[in-house]
Amino acid sequence: MELLFLGTSAGVPTRARNVTSMLLDLQHPTRGGLWLFDCGEGTQHQMLHTASHPGKLDKIFITHLHGDHLFGLPGLLCSRSMAGNVHPLTIYGPTGIREFVETSLRLSGSWTDYPLEIIEIREGVVFSDDAWTVTAALLNHPVECYGFRIEEHDKPGALDGAALAAAGVPSGPLYQQLKRGERVTLQDGRVINGADYLSPPRPGKTLAIFGDTAPCEAALALAKGVDLLVHEATLETAMEEKANSRGHSSTRQAAQLAHDAQARKLVITHVSSRYDAQGCAMLLAECRAVFANCELAHDFTPVRV
C-alpha cells in the first residue's frame, strides 16, 4: 500500500500546505482500490498533481465535519460526475455527513451520475471484505470525530514448488488449488494437501489514520502495533495545554502514543499555519526525541506501508 498526503495544514491552507486529505492506494493485484481520507477544500486540485483520478476512488472516509476536513467534498463529487464516471462511490462519516452532502448537491442544483452511497458510522467495524477490514473509534475532539484502523488480511504463505515437483505433482492448474490450501487428488489416486506445502501466512499490513484529537484511551487501542500511525501534531510541546483545550495534540503526545502503541512508524501531519520550515523542523525534532522513527508529512509526501 502507499499513502499519499494531499494536504497537511491545520485549519487553513498556507502557501506550502493545503488542508487535510490523504489518498491510500491499496495496490491490490486484481481489484486495485483507491481510498480518500478526509477532503479539505482544494483536494480535487491537489489530485490534479498526482497520477490518481477522482473517478478511480472507491471510498471516502471523513473523520469529522470541521471544514478543513470536509469542504472539498461537494466539488470533488460533482467534478467526478461531470467527467462521466460511473464507478460507484461510498462515503463513510459521522452523523450529519449525509445531510451535508445531500444539502450541498440540492442547493447547488447538482447531482451525481454514478451510484453514491453515504454511510453514517458508529464505533466498530465500518467496512470488511475478503482483503481488508476498517474499524472506527471515537476520538477526543469538540465534534464527533473518528480515527480509522485499516487492516489487510493475512496473505497465504508461498507454495513450495520444488517440494511438489519432488513429490511428483505436475505443475499447472492444480497449483492454484494447492496454494489456497485445498486438497487435490492426482491421477494416480494420491491425495495432496496444499496446506502441507505452504509456508506460514504472511501478516497483512496495518495502519491507523486519526482525525483531530487530544489524547484519549481509544487512541491506544486503535494504534496498537500498526505498521504506520498517522497522527496530528498541531502544536509544539510548549503549547500542549492550548492544543488539548481545542481537541488537539502536541508533538510530544503524538510521539508518546506511537511509543506506547508500539507502532513501527509515525507520520505527523495537521500542522498549524504558525509554523514555517524552521518551525516544522522543530516539531519533527520534538517527536523524534520521544519516538525516533517519525516523519513529518508535507503535501505530496508518499509513504509506503
Side-chain angles (χ1 to χ4, degrees):
M1 293 183 281
E2 182 176 87
L3 186 66
L4 180 65
F5 288 82
L6 298 177
T8 56
S9 181
V12 297
T14 71
R15 291 181 178 178
R17 296 175 180 270
N18 198 48
V19 283
T20 299
S21 186
M22 288 159 270
L23 192 63
L24 180 63
D25 187 350
L26 299 173
Q27 299 183 345
H28 191 276
T30 58
R31 293 186 320 214
L34 199 61
W35 296 356
L36 188 69
F37 288 82
D38 283 335
C39 191
E41 181 182 357
T43 292
Q44 66 171 319
H45 295 269
Q46 298 291 88
M47 290 188 72
L48 292 174
H49 299 284
T50 75
S52 299
H53 189 277
K56 297 180 180 179
L57 288 171
D58 298 309
K59 302 182 185 301
I60 299 177
F61 296 87
I62 301 297
T63 61
H64 63 296
L65 302 186
H66 278 159
D68 58 326
H69 296 252
L70 181 67
F71 284 168
L73 188 56
L76 184 146
L77 295 178
C78 292
S79 294
R80 191 177 187 273
S81 186
M82 292 175 69
N85 291 294
V86 295
H87 185 62
L89 177 66
T90 304
I91 299 173
Y92 303 82
T95 302
I97 185 64
R98 177 184 299 278
E99 181 182 2
F100 175 81
V101 171
E102 292 181 348
T103 300
S104 298
L105 296 179
R106 176 174 56 83
L107 292 180
S108 63
S110 305
W111 63 88
T112 61
D113 288 328
Y114 50 85
L116 177 63
E117 183 179 13
I118 303 173
I119 299 176
E120 296 191 334
I121 63 175
R122 294 289 184 267
E123 287 192 289
V125 175
V126 298
F127 170 76
S128 185
D129 64 7
D130 62 350
W132 296 278
T133 296
V134 181
T135 305
L138 274 171
L139 301 176
N140 182 6
H141 202 55
V143 299
E144 182 182 354
C145 183
Y146 290 94
F148 296 102
R149 182 184 177 99
I150 302 96
E151 297 176 286
E152 182 185 30
H153 297 179
D154 291 348
K155 300 176 182 178
L159 191 64
D160 190 343
L164 286 169
V169 180
S171 60
L174 289 180
Y175 274 40
Q176 292 300 318
Q177 294 175 257
L178 293 170
K179 189 168 184 177
R180 294 193 293 267
E182 299 174 4
R183 294 174 180 268
V184 300
T185 302
L186 304 182
Q187 289 184 348
D188 60 11
R190 287 184 297 153
V191 176
I192 302 296
N193 184 1
D196 295 337
Y197 293 87
L198 288 173
S199 61
R202 292 172 293 164
K205 299 291 186 177
T206 58
L207 64 154
I209 297 176
F210 281 30
D212 296 355
T213 186
C216 61
E217 291 184 8
L220 182 61
L222 206 64
K224 196 69 174 178
V226 295
D227 294 294
L228 174 65
L229 170 61
V230 179
H231 198 292
E232 66 133 288
T234 306
L235 294 171
E236 64 196 270
T237 300
M239 303 182 71
E240 193 166 275
E241 184 176 349
K242 181 176 182 179
N244 294 169
S245 70
R246 298 181 178 181
H248 294 292
S249 295
S250 70
T251 49
R252 182 193 68 83
Q253 290 170 329
Q256 189 63 51
L257 174 64
H259 175 274
D260 294 345
Q262 297 182 316
R264 293 184 62 187
K265 183 181 181 70
L266 168 67
V267 177
I268 54 171
T269 185
H270 200 267
V271 177
S272 170
S273 59
R274 72 178 61 229
Y275 298 110
D276 57 12
Q278 183 176 356
C280 286
M282 179 266 294
L283 296 179
L284 180 58
E286 288 190 345
C287 283
R288 286 179 171 172
V290 178
F291 187 82
N293 193 16
C294 176
E295 299 292 340
L296 184 145
H298 298 273
D299 287 18
F300 306 113
T301 295
V303 180
R304 294 290 299 174
V305 185

